[in-house]
Amino acid sequence: MAEVYADRRSRLRDQCAGAGRAAVLVSRPANVRYLAGGAPPGAALLLGPAEDLLVCPTAPNGDPAEGRLAEELRVEVLADLAADAAVAAAGRAAGTGADTLAVEEHHLTVARHRALGAAAEGLRLADLGLAVEQQRLIKDDEEIACLRIAAEISDQALGELLESILVGRTERHLALELERRLVDHGADGPAFATSVATGPNAGAAGHLPTDRRVEEGDFLSVCLGANYRGYRCALGRTFVIGTSPAAWQVELYDLVFAAQRAGREALAPGAAYSDVDRAARQILDSAGHGEGLAPSTGHGVGLEIEEEPRLSPTAMGKLDACVPVTVEPGVHLPGRGGVRIDDTLVVRPEADGGPELLTITTKELLAL
Amino acid sequence: MAEVYADRRSRLRDQCAGAGRAAVLVSRPANVRYLAGGAPPGAALLLGPAEDLLVCPTAPNGDPAEGRLAEELRVEVLADLAADAAVAAAGRAAGTGADTLAVEEHHLTVARHRALGAAAEGLRLADLGLAVEQQRLIKDDEEIACLRIAAEISDQALGELLESILVGRTERHLALELERRLVDHGADGPAFATSVATGPNAGAAGHLPTDRRVEEGDFLSVCLGANYRGYRCALGRTFVIGTSPAAWQVELYDLVFAAQRAGREALAPGAAYSDVDRAARQILDSAGHGEGLAPSTGHGVGLEIEEEPRLSPTAMGKLDACVPVTVEPGVHLPGRGGVRIDDTLVVRPEADGGPELLTITTKELLAL
């Protein structure tokens, strides 16, 4: 298990070796966790020519939410909550014989980058770019196992909510109850802010819960996900409240369902990101809902809830096996509400049965 | 009411006027909210020589959690969730006749700063620094009223929890219940991740809840706060579980209580930040707990839970009236637990009765 992290760091070091005697400084928390096994708050990871070093503002606590650090990794604790570990790590890089320090320019602020340059005396700063994010794209079995558990927990939490009385409760309360249930079932926490949207809010992407109460006849759309050992998934469903849905609700639901299925079915090793997006998008588009659609119909998940790849019309690249993604098209009609359906799946070759669906809550239109 | 935001923007513009024909681009969410009344996700605010413009990736929703935008402000909606509003705003700045664009180098990443420079064709990028943060330091009556309500809500949520059975419940569950109660009482959400720490975890700064259950004889320390209309406060208390505390618990509690009171009593207009910190710190220090103390014993609160000023040994500056701060010393004994007491207060002159305590939950050592 420990070797996993050492292997990941070796791969990154090899990739940067072409640039001469480069040290690498990783500061983005999900990247630190990927390479070190854990990411204590504010930690920065230095890959030196000779040795790797994790610098932490305070002592790591070993809590599962923070991750368990790889044992072979040298750890330096600054014992100062307010210290900038990246700046301290840059100072350590100065003595290692490296001539270049590759840093994450997409994560460091201009001000921190400057402080870091001053600390890394005699080293030239270079841009590491998205090297770690690219490495994180394809998941190993252990990572997929964590996502599978995260999805199971999400299914359980949603399933329990559906058995309770919903009419009269606010979006905020339902969201908090879902988050409590995620934790009940073993999540380290929610993977992202749980979205509960009722009536005219239903179907809006990323809707933050308000004090609106669930009413008879509403669409109710819910998007939640568990964080299990750092791995995050998403599960989104839309329901109707009351005995039977109106005709426009059935029609809209069927449309979004068809788009979401098309997106799922387009998932395959070698499929272009933009083709997966198009499969879902064109169904909504040709029904007249092209305007106002979200810029992407899905995205990668892992140590972050939105990571590479992005499934959008302009995304460049092709899917690989063992890449977990969401497929989450939705339509929101201003003033009326809408439908959103979101699954987390792992791309698998046809020979292995095609895409593996992790979030298995039914996608029938339930009337609650 | 609307004038408040226009006035704030004028003051910022005046401050930057010395730098020639400068436009200002504000991207840090709390700063955008302070100047525009609200901060839709990803919004950026451009103060041009002639006109101010808020650029948003998607249409603002007017929810209280997001804030209500000042009516006079021109809003441009990009209708693309993934667009970078700051880059778009920089592009708009290019046509205004400004020759300089001041940006927040402490907030923008190196990569975004570069994209922004490319979009702001013909403009020189300058650093706005902490100009908006400095302006946010002294709060007006409306802001203090929001903090007062946030504190009331926090007191209510904690008070209710204390009436329930605690033994056997996990830190995670207690934290989630507190957050639900905050929302019950009208909070837009928690001001920060609620900390519940039991037994050996008690008293540790910023402890994230685990699955440890409350046991007889434990110290239990809780730190929570409400977010009300964007304004965030903190309330921290430590209790003992069981009929009567052990001698070492009473002794440690009395010590931290004395330190916290000394910090509170040191709050006055004109008092140096470092003197307030010293008042609390030296009591813990002379009792032999100097090592392992947090780097600051308090900090400003407002639209962010940690903002200027910082009450620490090395902080430069003096308190003003109408600055709300926390006073939150604590001692954590590894393996045994500890005590933390946290209040939110507003600095007031002696003539007005001295510091105004917003979080009024008792600081007696309660046995629950």
Side-chain angles (χ1 to χ4, degrees), chain A:
Chain A
M1 209 16 235
E3 286 164 24
V4 171
Y5 304 108
D7 284 353
R8 291 175 182 171
R9 295 197 300 276
S10 298
R11 282 168 58 196
L12 183 64
R13 202 183 287 102
D14 291 350
Q15 203 183 324
C16 299
R21 294 187 61 75
V24 177
L25 179 60
V26 178
S27 53
R28 188 172 179 171
N31 290 346
V32 172
R33 182 162 189 165
Y34 183 75
L35 296 168
L45 177 66
L46 178 69
L47 308 189
E51 193 190 29
D52 300 339
L53 170 70
L54 185 76
V55 182
C56 306
T58 53
N61 69 14
D63 193 66
E66 190 173 298
R68 227 170 282 280
L69 292 176
E71 279 172 23
E72 78 284 359
L73 198 62
R74 194 158 74 83
V75 176
E76 179 183 340
V77 177
L78 299 173
D80 179 354
L81 207 64
D84 189 329
V87 172
R92 305 297 175 276
T96 58
D99 52 17
T100 303
L101 182 63
V103 302
E104 298 185 293
E105 294 192 351
H106 59 294
H107 177 254
L108 294 170
T109 65
V110 177
R112 274 183 95 192
H113 188 265
R114 194 183 298 126
L116 223 137
E121 247 196 287
L123 275 80
R124 197 177 60 84
L125 293 193
D127 187 10
L128 181 62
L130 299 173
V132 188
E133 284 84 352
Q134 285 300 325
Q135 200 179 319
R136 282 168 45 199
L137 223 144
I138 297 175
K139 270 72 176 177
D140 65 26
D141 289 349
E142 190 86 22
E143 295 182 281
I144 291 174
C146 288
L147 283 168
R148 209 175 276 130
I149 296 172
E152 259 177 51
I153 293 171
S154 310
D155 281 322
Q156 287 171 322
L158 181 59
E160 288 175 358
L161 187 80
L162 300 186
E163 289 168 16
S164 63
I165 305 255
L166 299 173
V167 171
R169 296 169 72 192
T170 69
E171 293 175 357
R172 262 188 236 276
H173 273 105
L174 294 176
L176 285 164
E177 180 168 339
L178 283 166
E179 295 189 355
R180 185 178 61 75
R181 289 184 187 278
L182 289 172
V183 171
D184 275 346
H185 288 290
D188 294 325
F192 53 92
T194 299
S195 177
V196 174
T198 62
N201 300 330
H207 171 78
L208 290 179
T210 71
D211 288 328
R212 190 182 182 285
R213 290 177 194 278
V214 176
E215 295 175 13
E216 289 282 337
D218 274 358
F219 263 139
L220 168 70
S221 63
V222 173
C223 192
L224 78 163
N227 168 1
Y228 182 75
R229 299 200 182 161
Y231 285 83
R232 294 154 196 263
C233 72
L235 161 65
R237 293 291 184 267
T238 301
F239 311 97
V240 286
I241 305 295
T243 46
S244 69
W248 74 273
Q249 289 178 317
V250 174
E251 194 182 323
L252 189 61
Y253 191 90
D254 288 348
L255 181 74
V256 174
F257 177 83
Q260 204 257 358
R261 186 177 53 195
R264 280 186 282 125
E265 290 176 353
L267 295 176
Y273 302 152
S274 57
D275 286 345
V276 176
D277 175 74
R278 189 182 310 117
R281 187 177 297 271
Q282 70 185 4
I283 290 178
L284 304 177
D285 207 2
S286 56
H289 299 293
E291 240 169 273
L293 290 186
S296 71
T297 54
H299 53 77
V301 292
L303 287 170
E304 291 174 292
I305 185 58
E306 277 201 44
E307 52 177 65
E308 297 290 312
R310 203 164 151 242
L311 305 178
S312 76
T314 56
M316 304 284 284
K318 291 179 177 179
L319 288 173
D320 274 302
C322 301
V323 173
V325 294
T326 66
V327 177
E328 49 175 71
V331 170
H332 178 247
L333 308 176
R336 298 180 75 190
V339 176
R340 187 161 296 275
I341 304 174
D342 187 351
D343 278 315
T344 301
L345 307 98
V346 181
V347 176
R348 303 278 191 195
E350 190 69 39
D352 293 353
E356 178 187 352
L357 181 67
L358 301 188
T359 44
I360 61 169
T361 298
T362 181
K363 289 187 280 284
E364 280 173 277
L365 176 54
L366 299 183
L368 306 174

Side-chain angles (χ1 to χ4, degrees), chain B:
Chain B
M1 209 17 234
E3 285 164 23
V4 172
Y5 305 108
D7 284 353
R8 290 174 182 170
R9 295 196 301 275
S10 298
R11 281 167 58 196
L12 183 63
R13 201 183 286 104
D14 290 351
Q15 204 184 325
C16 299
R21 294 187 59 75
V24 178
L25 180 61
V26 178
S27 52
R28 188 172 179 173
N31 290 346
V32 172
R33 182 162 188 165
Y34 183 75
L35 297 168
L45 178 66
L46 177 68
L47 308 189
E51 195 191 26
D52 300 340
L53 171 70
L54 185 76
V55 182
C56 307
T58 53
N61 69 14
D63 193 67
E66 189 173 301
R68 228 169 280 281
L69 292 176
E71 279 173 23
E72 79 284 0
L73 198 64
R74 194 157 74 83
V75 177
E76 179 182 339
V77 177
L78 298 173
D80 179 355
L81 208 64
D84 189 327
V87 172
R92 303 297 177 277
T96 59
D99 53 17
T100 303
L101 182 64
V103 302
E104 298 186 291
E105 293 191 352
H106 59 293
H107 177 255
L108 294 170
T109 65
V110 178
R112 274 183 95 193
H113 187 265
R114 193 183 300 126
L116 222 136
E121 246 197 288
L123 276 80
R124 197 177 60 83
L125 292 193
D127 186 10
L128 181 60
L130 299 173
V132 188
E133 283 83 353
Q134 285 300 323
Q135 201 179 319
R136 282 167 46 198
L137 221 145
I138 297 175
K139 270 71 174 176
D140 66 25
D141 290 348
E142 190 86 21
E143 294 182 282
I144 291 175
C146 288
L147 284 168
R148 209 176 276 129
I149 296 172
E152 260 176 51
I153 293 171
S154 309
D155 281 322
Q156 287 171 323
L158 181 58
E160 287 174 0
L161 188 81
L162 300 186
E163 289 167 16
S164 63
I165 306 255
L166 299 173
V167 171
R169 296 169 72 193
T170 69
E171 294 175 355
R172 262 188 237 275
H173 273 105
L174 293 176
L176 285 164
E177 179 168 338
L178 282 167
E179 295 190 355
R180 186 179 60 77
R181 289 184 188 279
L182 290 173
V183 171
D184 276 347
H185 288 290
D188 295 324
F192 54 92
T194 299
S195 176
V196 174
T198 62
N201 301 330
H207 172 77
L208 290 179
T210 70
D211 288 328
R212 189 182 184 283
R213 290 177 194 277
V214 176
E215 295 175 14
E216 289 282 335
D218 274 358
F219 263 139
L220 168 69
S221 63
V222 173
C223 192
L224 78 162
N227 168 1
Y228 182 74
R229 299 199 180 162
Y231 285 83
R232 293 154 196 262
C233 73
L235 162 65
R237 293 290 183 270
T238 301
F239 311 98
V240 286
I241 305 295
T243 46
S244 68
W248 74 273
Q249 290 178 318
V250 174
E251 194 183 323
L252 189 60
Y253 191 90
D254 288 348
L255 181 74
V256 174
F257 177 83
Q260 204 257 357
R261 186 176 53 196
R264 280 187 282 124
E265 290 176 352
L267 295 175
Y273 301 152
S274 57
D275 285 346
V276 177
D277 174 75
R278 188 182 310 115
R281 187 178 296 270
Q282 70 185 3
I283 291 178
L284 304 177
D285 206 3
S286 56
H289 298 295
E291 237 169 275
L293 290 187
S296 70
T297 54
H299 52 78
V301 293
L303 287 169
E304 291 174 291
I305 186 59
E306 277 201 44
E307 49 177 67
E308 298 292 312
R310 202 163 152 243
L311 305 180
S312 77
T314 55
M316 304 284 284
K318 292 179 176 180
L319 287 174
D320 273 303
C322 301
V323 172
V325 295
T326 66
V327 177
E328 50 175 70
V331 170
H332 177 247
L333 308 176
R336 299 179 74 191
V339 177
R340 187 162 296 274
I341 304 175
D342 187 351
D343 278 315
T344 301
L345 307 97
V346 181
V347 176
R348 303 280 191 193
E350 190 71 39
D352 293 352
E356 178 187 352
L357 181 68
L358 301 189
T359 44
I360 61 170
T361 298
T362 183
K363 288 186 281 281
E364 282 174 277
L365 177 54
L366 298 183
L368 304 174

